[in-house]
Amino acid sequence: MKSKSENDFLFRHEIMNNKIQIHDCSISHSHKELEENNPSKTFGEESNIYVVFTKGLKKKLTFNYTDSHPMLLPSNEQKTCVRNQNISGFEYKKIMIININDLREKVLTDKNTYKDGLTGKSDI
């Protein structure tokens, strides 16, 4: 078994009664490695959103071909984008927040702060 050092992922598993038990899990990264793997920019391609890290690794964040206008948030752990939806011939938009690490998404808003003068709706 390897000694615990930076950048090692160590684990030991046992199979007992058809169940896997995992022991002694650890992940560690040097401060320099974490700095070099920070997101440096985000961009849209084919209506999906990508992030590029400082080491050049590109990661696809969305997969539904409806997203545009990406922007990294100051924490560098999340990004925002506009999600475009066509429902029954009407265009709707949502402002989404996506976590770069685990791809969890949530709707920041899908409403304007005012109602449209013609339709009376507050959809974006």
Side-chain angles (χ1 to χ4, degrees):
M1 191 166 167
K2 289 182 176 180
S3 65
K4 288 185 183 180
S5 65
E6 287 187 355
N7 306 322
D8 282 345
F9 176 74
L10 304 172
F11 70 92
R12 181 175 55 113
H13 69 275
E14 298 173 2
I15 301 175
M16 299 177 66
N17 299 329
N18 294 327
K19 293 182 181 177
I20 296 176
Q21 296 179 342
I22 298 176
H23 306 280
D24 195 24
C25 290
S26 62
I27 298 175
S28 62
H29 301 280
S30 69
H31 182 69
K32 182 180 178 186
E33 182 184 46
L34 291 174
E35 278 182 2
E36 290 175 353
N37 265 333
N38 281 333
S40 62
K41 68 177 182 176
T42 184
F43 66 95
E45 182 177 288
E46 296 179 351
S47 296
N48 284 311
I49 304 301
Y50 294 80
V51 65
V52 178
F53 295 91
T54 49
K55 281 190 170 182
L57 176 70
K58 181 170 92 169
K59 181 178 181 180
K60 188 175 183 178
L61 300 178
T62 64
F63 301 86
N64 54 4
Y65 302 98
T66 60
D67 299 328
S68 63
H69 301 86
M71 184 177 77
L72 277 171
L73 295 179
S75 70
N76 275 346
E77 293 179 6
Q78 296 178 320
K79 64 130 206 97
T80 63
C81 71
V82 175
R83 175 144 309 150
N84 304 292
Q85 295 180 311
N86 188 319
I87 301 172
S88 300
F90 294 98
E91 278 289 319
Y92 294 96
K93 298 183 184 302
K94 296 178 182 179
I95 300 175
M96 305 292 295
I97 293 180
I98 301 173
N99 186 299
I100 291 172
N101 299 314
D102 60 16
L103 305 182
R104 284 184 299 156
E105 299 180 350
K106 72 177 184 178
V107 177
L108 181 61
T109 187
D110 60 356
K111 303 287 182 199
N112 271 325
T113 55
Y114 58 88
K115 289 187 177 187
D116 184 275
L118 295 174
T119 65
K121 295 183 178 183
S122 59
D123 299 321
I124 295 177

